[in-house]
């Protein structure tokens, strides 16, 4: 515990970096996956290839991707952009299936009713399709967020890993405390992020609580 008290600034710095490196790719992944998923539902022949490509991309080892990206992008090995791009790729590869499935879950009669009253494609997507698809999309979002929080630590291999650098520090000094602190904070961060996403989903889908109440009654 003495080490924890003496290194609070280091712990906070690594925690902040970990949060930044984990959450930014999730946001970017969602921003990219939604248009791709929408296009795949408009042109159904694209759906299976996109889902298959996502599966292939997610199967790539994270360590290899962290190391190879600087060569491909021409960036420095210790540049944060490598971690952000790698985790964004993973986020898109997981979210694309959920976005497609979520948009496909919109009842055809609801979509036809929106078209009948004059909703254009963009307005229909934002006000009808996406709100109905939220539960399916957010199920994937929870998985992606927790996975990213876990994978950021792997970036410590190239010297940028947030809480993962506490693991490296502990192993190098044969000192268990930094490792325990890193593991505990990673778990707490994942639990908190998951709770926030669930709360946001409940806020965005108030009708779901009404439906559940009616069914219980």
């Amino acid at each position: 515990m003495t080490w924890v008290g003496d290194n609070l600034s280091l712990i906070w710095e690594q925690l902040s970096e970990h949060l930044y490196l984990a959450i930014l790719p999730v946001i970017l992944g969602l921003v990219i996956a939604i248009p791709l998923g929408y296009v795949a539902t408009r042109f159904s022949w694209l759906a299976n290839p996109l889902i298959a490509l996502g599966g292939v991309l997610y199967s790539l080892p994270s360590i290899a991707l962290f190391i190879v990206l600087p060569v491909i992008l021409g960036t420095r090995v210790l540049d944060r952009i490598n971690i952000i791009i790698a985790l964004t790729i993973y986020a898109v590869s997981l979210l694309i299936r959920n976005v497609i499935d979520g948009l496909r879950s919109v009842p055809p009669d609801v979509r036809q009713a929106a078209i009948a009253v004059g909703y254009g494609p963009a307005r229909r997507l934002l006000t009808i399709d996406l709100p109905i698809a939220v539960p399916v999309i957010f199920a994937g979002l929870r998985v992606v967020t927790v996975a990213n929080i876990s994978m950021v630590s792997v970036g410590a291999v190239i010297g940028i890993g947030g809480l993962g650098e506490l693991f490296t520090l502990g192993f190098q000094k044969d000192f268990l405390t930094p490792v325990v602190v890193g593991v505990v904070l990673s778990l707490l961060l994942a639990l908190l992020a998951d709770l926030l996403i669930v709360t946001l989903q409940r806020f965005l889908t108030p009708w779901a609580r009404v439906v559940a109440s009616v069914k219980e009654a």
Side-chain angles (χ1 to χ4, degrees), residues 34-72:
I34 288 176
L36 286 177
Y38 175 71
V39 171
T41 56
R42 289 291 301 272
F43 305 97
S44 57
W45 59 271
L46 276 175
N48 288 337
L50 280 176
I51 292 173
L53 178 60
V56 170
L57 291 175
Y58 194 74
S59 67
L60 296 174
S62 56
I63 295 179
L65 197 56
F66 291 159
I67 295 174
V68 168
L69 273 178
V71 178
I72 298 175

Side-chain angles (χ1 to χ4, degrees), residues 11 28 31 61 73-74 84 88 99 112 131 139 152 163 165 171 176 180 184 190 203:
I11 294 171
L28 293 175
V31 169
L73 301 175
I84 292 171
T88 299
V99 172
Q112 290 301 321
V152 166
L163 294 172
E165 294 190 37
F171 292 139
L176 189 59
V180 173
V184 171
F203 174 76

Side-chain angles (χ1 to χ4, degrees), residues 2 11-12 23 37 112-113 115 122 147 201 213 215:
T2 302
I11 294 171
W12 175 251
I23 300 304
Q112 290 301 321
I115 294 173
Q201 178 181 335
S213 299
K215 289 183 177 179

Side-chain angles (χ1 to χ4, degrees), residues 3-94:
W3 182 89
V4 175
D6 293 340
N7 292 272
L8 286 177
S9 60
L10 172 64
I11 294 171
W12 175 251
E13 179 183 348
Q14 300 306 329
L15 178 62
S16 301
E17 181 181 48
H18 198 104
L19 185 62
Y20 172 77
L21 292 175
I23 300 304
L24 180 58
V26 173
I27 297 172
L28 293 175
L30 188 60
V31 169
I32 294 170
I34 288 176
L36 286 177
Y38 175 71
V39 171
T41 56
R42 289 291 301 272
F43 305 97
S44 57
W45 59 271
L46 276 175
N48 288 337
L50 280 176
I51 292 173
L53 178 60
V56 170
L57 291 175
Y58 194 74
S59 67
L60 296 174
S62 56
I63 295 179
L65 197 56
F66 291 159
I67 295 174
V68 168
L69 273 178
V71 178
I72 298 175
L73 301 175
T75 55
R76 294 180 296 106
V77 173
L78 297 181
D79 198 327
R80 285 182 175 184
I81 194 67
N82 302 316
I83 305 294
I84 292 171
I85 290 178
L87 294 183
T88 299
I89 291 172
Y90 285 126
V92 172
S93 66
L94 281 177

